[in-house]
């Protein structure tokens, strides 16, 4: 064999060695690289209520099995998202129910413009106009509507031979006729801000949707303007006159200001009131109780009919998604499914009709809303102005109108003055400082670091050996930030998270953890990695296969948990999940106050509270 042949063989061998070396290097990633990849592949969706987490979120994930979606229950409060924005923690997709463009203005530059997307194009212009910024951009899209109007006891109308109202005049006549037989024609739960606000706007929906009304609404909600905007003198004086007339025609008094929801429900059940202002869900509820009930719209004094609506939520996307084509594509896939007909049908309450703002979702109406079908078909579904200012000021001003303290002119002036008043400084006392920020993306090797911080901290608060929490217990990232009382309290999921504590054997703890990991009949079943439980004081090994999860091991202090071990365990879950918790009847409340949010708020309110370090609490294979 000559030297040239040997040289060629040696070169080929070296090339092979280098190729193998490169391939081996490419196939070996550091833990940090793996986590970065998981971060890039995860689309985070913040839901405004845990009810969406139980039914809506699993459906969306099932439609997009190739997209890793992490659903987190945040807060129904735009201040929460402003705080995340200011501290670098704004999620990919946001949902919020208690919403207005006015309150969302500070978020505008951080959100995608959806105006030219197919999803925005499908929204009826009548409704999309309520979400357009003055420059024509659209950051938020509404999902289906929660319809508010008049819930009517049709049996009482038939019993006393009183015609059902078809316009404002016949509505007033019906109220007068019922009063003659000792029955209230109308009342509502005016103890609440939303009832005061929606009555004021609903009676003037016609005027508030005119060119003048839209012009004022756009100016009020303009994100580009820093000046405070009061009421105009074209639309709003008449709105207070109509409210004043309505109060007189229905004989509302100061006594009605004490009416709560339960009070009004009892009056209706007992046949003491013929009509109340509420949601369409009340129709089925009372039909099921044997009361012939129907739903009627607001009757404008010009003859038009309108339903007051509030979207079940509005949805927006983080503008940072535009920096990564793949992430933006995945986020748009998620948005498309979120707004689909089937997904929207999983949002509405039992018995309610699917009233979508989108042309892509066909109108499906049950018998419960048959008396307002034409109103819906005419797109007369008014979307309320629901800024924090409007909630608070409506409660104050409308209450004083009902109590007889304000005339229409006085009410208009008082409302306008309060809108123009400078904000009073918020309570910004810092009660908690986090010197480090922690990711709230679930990682297969370790879990969710931010959730681990919260679980470890709460284990200390409750003084328990082990803490076991559903994944929706915490509201996302632990940010490197100073937290005031409101923002600190918002770290806990707000929708009825409870604590339950008991002493368990190792065997009982294994079965309890297994139920949290694998799901149980009547309880919550994890539907993706991010929905697996969070633990402190123990570590879990879990096997993932075809979308289901199996608990394969538990260690405590680095050693396998023994069946005869004895440990104190605190579980965090909603009441519904607690009811199906194994051995729950043996459990006791973790302290006098079982609401986790209150326990956490009390813990941090005095200042000086400190966050624990995160731990690797789960290994997913």
């Amino acid at each position: 064999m000559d030297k040239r042949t040997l040289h060629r063989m040696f070169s080929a061998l070296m090339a092979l060695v280098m190729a193998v070396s490169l391939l081996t290097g490419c196939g070996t990633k550091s833990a940090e690289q793996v986590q970065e990849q998981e971060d890039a592949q995860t689309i985070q969706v913040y839901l405004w209520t845990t009810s969406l987490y139980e039914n809506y979120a699993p459906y969306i994930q099932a439609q997009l099995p190739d997209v890793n979606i992490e659903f987190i229950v945040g807060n129904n409060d735009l201040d929460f998202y402003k705080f995340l924005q200011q501290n670098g923690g704004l999620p990919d997709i946001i949902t919020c129910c208690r919403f207005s463009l006015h309150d969302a203005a500070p978020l505008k530059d951080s959100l995608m413009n959806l105006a030219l997307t197919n999803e925005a194009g499908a929204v009826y212009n009548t409704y999309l106009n309520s979400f357009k910024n003055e420059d024509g951009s659209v950051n938020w899209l509404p999902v289906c509507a929660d319809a508010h109007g008049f819930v009517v006891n049709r049996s009482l109308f038939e019993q006393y031979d009183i015609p059902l109202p078809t316009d404002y005049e016949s509505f007033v006549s019906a109220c007068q006729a019922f009063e003659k037989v000792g029955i209230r024609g109308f009342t509502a739960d005016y103890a609440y801000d939303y009832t005061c606000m929606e009555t004021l706007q609903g009676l003037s929906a016609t005027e508030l949707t005119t060119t003048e009304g839209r012009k004022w609404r756009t100016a009020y909600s303009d994100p580009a303007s820093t000046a405070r905007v009061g009421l105009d003198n074209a639309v709003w004086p008449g709105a207070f006159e109509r409210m004043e007339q309505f109060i007189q025609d229905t004989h509302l008094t100061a006594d009605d200001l004490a009416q709560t929801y339960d009070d009004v429900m009892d009056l209706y059940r007992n046949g003491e009131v013929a009509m109340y202002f509420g949601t369409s869900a009340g129709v089925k509820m009372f039909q099921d109780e044997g009361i012939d009930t129907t739903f009627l719209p607001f009757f404008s004094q010009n003859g038009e009919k309108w339903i007051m609506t509030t979207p079940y939520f509005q949805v927006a996307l983080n503008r940072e998604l535009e920096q990564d084509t793949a992430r933006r594509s995945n986020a748009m896939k998620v948005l498309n499914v979120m707004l689909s007909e089937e997904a929207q049908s999983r949002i509405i309450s039992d018995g309610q009709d699917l009233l979508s703002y989108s042309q892509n979702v066909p109108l499906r109406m049950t018998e419960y809303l048959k008396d307002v079908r034409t109103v819906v078909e005419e797109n007369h579904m008014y979307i309320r102005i629901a800024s924090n200012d409007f909630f608070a000021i409506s409660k104050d001003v409308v209450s004083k109108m009902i109590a007889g303290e304000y005339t229409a002119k006085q009410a208009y002036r008082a409302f306008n003055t309060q809108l123009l008043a400078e904000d009073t400084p918020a309570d910004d006392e810092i009660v908690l400082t986090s010197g480090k920020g922690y990711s709230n993306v679930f990682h297969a090797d370790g879990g969710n670091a931010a959730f681990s911080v919260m679980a470890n901290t709460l284990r200390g608060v409750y003084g328990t050996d082990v803490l076991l929490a559903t994944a929706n217990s915490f509201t996302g990232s632990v940010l490197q930030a100073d937290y005031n009382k409101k923002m600190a309290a918002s770290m806990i999921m707000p929708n009825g998270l409870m604590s339950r504590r008991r002493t368990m054997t190792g065997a009982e703890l294994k079965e309890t953890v297994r139920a949290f990991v694998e799901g149980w009949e009547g309880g919550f079943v994890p539907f993706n990695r991010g929905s697996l439980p969070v633990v402190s004081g123990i570590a879990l090994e879990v096997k993932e296969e075809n979308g289901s999860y199996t608990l394969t091991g538990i260690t405590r202090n680095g050693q396998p948990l023994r069946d005869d071990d004895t440990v104190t365990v605190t579980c965090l879950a909603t009441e519904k999940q607690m009811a199906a918790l194994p051995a729950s009847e043996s459990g006791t409340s973790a302290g006098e106050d079982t609401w986790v949010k209150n326990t956490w708020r009390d813990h941090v309110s005095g200042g000086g509270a400190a966050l624990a370090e995160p731990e690797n609490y789960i290994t997913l294979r």
Side-chain angles (χ1 to χ4, degrees):
M1 188 178 295
D2 61 28
K3 290 182 179 180
R4 285 179 296 179
T5 302
L6 283 171
H7 181 72
R8 285 196 297 268
M9 290 178 63
F10 180 76
S11 297
L13 180 61
M14 290 302 296
L16 179 61
V17 170
M18 289 181 66
V20 171
S21 176
L22 287 171
L23 286 171
T24 303
C26 289
T28 304
K29 294 182 179 179
S30 68
E32 184 177 342
Q33 288 175 319
V34 171
Q35 291 192 356
E36 287 177 355
Q37 183 177 0
E38 289 174 331
D39 291 348
Q41 293 174 345
T42 300
I43 299 297
Q44 284 196 324
V45 179
Y46 271 49
L47 305 172
W48 72 272
T49 177
T50 199
S51 63
L52 294 173
Y53 193 85
E54 297 168 352
N55 189 30
Y56 181 67
Y59 172 79
I60 296 168
Q61 181 66 85
Q63 306 314 301
L64 299 168
D66 297 330
V67 180
N68 184 34
I69 313 171
E70 187 163 82
F71 294 94
I72 293 173
V73 179
N75 275 264
N76 187 25
D77 183 348
L78 289 172
D79 287 344
F80 172 74
Y81 292 105
K82 293 174 195 173
F83 180 76
L84 297 187
Q85 172 206 40
Q86 291 163 2
N87 293 282
L90 199 65
D92 299 312
I93 299 179
I94 304 168
T95 68
C96 194
C97 179
R98 194 156 176 148
F99 170 89
S100 76
L101 274 185
H102 181 272
D103 292 346
L107 294 170
K108 179 179 183 295
D109 292 340
S110 298
L111 302 176
M112 281 177 56
N113 178 11
L114 302 172
L116 299 181
T117 63
N118 292 332
E119 287 72 21
V123 178
Y124 291 102
N125 279 333
T126 306
Y127 310 122
L128 192 63
N129 286 334
S130 296
F131 295 91
K132 280 186 177 178
N133 299 311
E134 192 145 19
D135 61 6
S137 62
V138 175
N139 304 120
W140 299 84
L141 297 178
V143 296
C144 50
D146 187 12
H148 298 193
F150 295 95
V151 181
V152 178
N153 187 332
R154 190 158 39 197
S155 298
L156 281 179
F157 277 84
E158 293 177 356
Q159 179 180 344
Y160 292 98
D161 197 25
I162 298 172
L164 280 176
T166 56
D167 53 26
Y168 186 76
E169 184 177 350
S170 59
F171 171 81
V172 175
S173 296
C175 289
Q176 294 171 344
F178 275 114
E179 287 196 5
K180 290 179 181 178
V181 295
I183 296 172
R184 285 291 301 273
F186 168 84
T187 191
D189 48 0
Y190 285 105
Y192 306 119
D193 55 4
Y194 53 81
T195 304
C196 295
M197 183 180 73
E198 293 183 4
T199 306
L200 174 66
Q201 293 183 45
L203 293 168
S204 295
T206 295
E207 292 73 21
L208 290 169
T209 53
T210 62
T211 300
E212 285 293 330
R214 292 197 303 272
K215 180 180 177 181
W216 174 85
R217 189 165 181 155
T218 301
Y220 175 70
S221 302
D222 180 18
S225 175
T226 57
R228 297 187 68 83
V229 176
L231 302 176
D232 71 358
N233 57 11
V235 175
W236 281 103
F240 288 94
E241 291 171 4
R242 283 180 284 277
M243 185 74 224
E244 182 178 56
Q245 187 66 51
F246 181 80
I247 291 169
Q248 294 171 1
D249 291 337
T250 56
H251 295 171
L252 293 175
T253 68
D255 290 341
D256 292 288
L257 299 176
Q259 299 278 19
T260 66
Y261 173 81
D262 290 337
D263 294 333
V264 174
M265 296 303 98
D266 289 341
L267 290 173
Y268 189 88
R269 287 188 178 93
N270 296 334
E272 298 176 64
V273 65
M275 298 178 284
Y276 73 88
F277 175 70
T279 72
S280 59
V283 179
K284 182 180 187 302
M285 179 176 72
F286 286 119
Q287 289 276 28
D288 290 346
E289 294 181 19
I291 302 173
D292 187 10
T293 299
T294 191
F295 188 76
L296 295 178
F298 277 96
F299 300 108
S300 297
Q301 294 179 18
N302 73 343
E304 289 186 0
K305 302 173 184 178
W306 287 82
I307 295 174
M308 166 71 64
T309 69
T310 175
Y312 274 91
F313 59 81
Q314 286 78 195
V315 58
L317 272 64
N318 191 330
R319 180 167 287 180
E320 289 185 359
L321 290 164
E322 296 177 340
Q323 299 174 12
D324 187 318
T325 303
R327 283 178 53 73
R328 184 189 186 281
S329 175
N330 281 339
M332 291 305 297
K333 290 178 184 177
V334 175
L335 178 65
N336 184 265
V337 175
M338 289 176 71
L339 298 177
S340 68
E341 177 183 0
E342 184 59 33
Q344 291 191 35
S345 72
R346 293 166 184 266
I347 298 172
I348 58 178
S349 301
D350 182 36
Q352 285 191 301
D353 297 77
L354 179 53
L355 305 178
S356 180
Y357 300 107
S358 173
Q359 300 173 65
N360 290 341
V361 180
L363 177 65
R364 294 204 324 250
M365 298 190 72
T366 65
E367 60 175 307
Y368 306 119
L369 287 187
K370 64 182 180 182
D371 289 324
V372 293
R373 185 180 185 93
T374 57
V375 180
V376 176
E377 291 174 340
E378 292 170 356
N379 286 334
H380 276 194
M381 296 195 298
Y382 172 79
I383 298 178
R384 68 186 187 181
I385 304 162
S387 66
N388 290 334
D389 283 345
F390 258 77
F391 273 107
I393 301 173
S394 295
K395 177 68 165 67
D396 176 62
V397 171
V398 172
S399 293
K400 288 176 179 174
M401 292 183 75
I402 292 174
E405 298 176 29
Y406 281 166
T407 64
K409 289 182 179 179
Q410 290 171 325
Y412 168 77
R413 288 197 296 267
F415 204 111
N416 189 52
T417 298
Q418 291 189 54
L419 274 184
L420 291 172
E422 293 298 323
D423 288 332
T424 55
D427 182 4
D428 288 328
E429 177 190 356
I430 303 303
V431 298
L432 180 68
T433 296
S434 176
K436 295 174 64 177
Y438 300 94
S439 170
N440 66 332
V441 173
F442 180 90
H443 296 129
D445 187 11
N448 186 312
F451 288 3
S452 179
V453 169
M454 295 301 296
N456 289 344
T457 306
L458 280 167
R459 181 161 67 94
V461 172
Y462 286 114
T464 187
D465 295 326
V466 173
L467 186 130
L468 172 61
T470 52
N472 59 337
S473 298
F474 312 119
T475 60
S477 297
V478 174
L479 303 170
Q480 184 176 350
D482 293 325
Y483 290 77
N484 62 22
K485 290 181 180 179
K486 180 178 179 181
M487 289 303 107
S490 73
M491 299 169 86
I492 301 295
M493 187 272 285
N495 307 124
L497 186 70
M498 300 179 69
S499 60
R500 177 161 291 152
R501 174 175 172 164
R502 64 163 296 203
T503 299
M504 293 185 182
T505 65
E508 289 174 322
L509 178 56
K510 288 177 184 178
E511 290 309 305
T512 301
V513 174
R514 190 180 309 282
F516 270 67
V517 169
E518 301 176 9
W520 67 89
E521 186 176 355
F524 178 74
V525 179
F527 56 89
N528 64 10
R529 297 179 172 197
S531 63
L532 287 168
V534 185
V535 297
S536 175
I538 54 175
L540 313 181
E541 291 185 1
V542 177
K543 181 181 178 181
E544 180 179 21
E545 188 174 12
N546 299 324
S548 62
Y549 301 92
T550 304
L551 179 68
T552 57
I554 300 178
T555 58
R556 182 168 179 249
N557 298 325
Q559 300 298 318
L561 181 68
R562 294 171 22 176
D563 287 349
D564 59 354
D565 284 345
T566 300
V567 289
T568 56
V569 181
T570 297
C571 294
L572 309 185
T574 62
E575 189 170 8
K576 175 184 175 183
Q577 293 162 340
M578 285 291 191
L581 191 65
S584 62
E585 291 185 5
S586 300
T588 58
S589 299
E592 294 181 3
D593 184 0
T594 63
W595 301 107
V596 179
K597 193 175 184 72
N598 292 346
T599 300
W600 175 251
R601 185 179 57 219
D602 292 344
H603 174 67
V604 300
S605 62
L611 296 173
E613 291 291 320
E615 296 176 345
N616 291 340
Y617 63 86
I618 190 169
T619 301
L620 189 64
R621 303 299 184 199

